[in-house]
Amino acid sequence: IGGDVVYRGGGPVTHGSEFVGTPVANGVLARVQASPMGNCRGETNDDNLPQALWVFSVDACGLYGFPDLNLIHAGRSSPVGQITLGSTRGNFNVSSGSGLLLRVDKLNR
């Protein structure tokens, strides 16, 4: 989801012409990048280690396949950790089989 490409059987993970990750036995590992539109962050807390991103690209950002939903609050400010979605059509259903890539920052105290 978002545009990265990997071919099973060999070769790197690419985002356009840029190499962004490596295939491993049960998936791929890649370094997170900021979204081109600037809405989502890349690495946080100097954590630039390759990560498993499931089916998401390195710069995946936002809500895919939910045209009537908006991200109201991402949880990075107070109330920290609380994510709020809003709908332009009233009640909504996020059905089973939907995916969420949740990135967790270190707690800085």
Side-chain angles (χ1 to χ4, degrees):
I1 297 172
D4 294 352
V5 176
V6 63
Y7 296 100
R8 290 289 159 208
V13 180
T14 60
H15 186 81
S17 61
E18 180 183 2
F19 297 123
V20 295
T22 307
V24 294
N26 294 313
V28 300
L29 295 176
R31 288 179 172 80
V32 175
Q33 296 180 3
S35 68
M37 296 166 284
N39 298 340
C40 295
R41 300 175 294 177
E43 66 181 74
T44 58
N45 298 319
D46 297 321
D47 181 11
N48 194 26
L49 296 173
Q51 301 176 35
L53 302 174
W54 191 39
V55 297
F56 297 97
S57 69
V58 295
D59 65 353
C61 181
L63 303 168
Y64 291 85
F66 296 95
D68 299 325
L69 289 184
N70 297 305
L71 180 62
I72 305 297
H73 182 73
R76 292 190 295 245
S77 59
S78 184
V80 174
Q82 180 175 319
I83 300 168
T84 306
L85 301 176
S87 173
T88 58
R89 292 189 175 205
N91 292 338
F92 62 91
N93 180 33
V94 178
S95 62
S96 64
S98 297
L100 170 73
L101 177 62
L102 178 64
R103 294 179 56 205
V104 179
D105 288 343
K106 295 178 195 174
L107 181 61
N108 293 323
R109 290 186 179 198

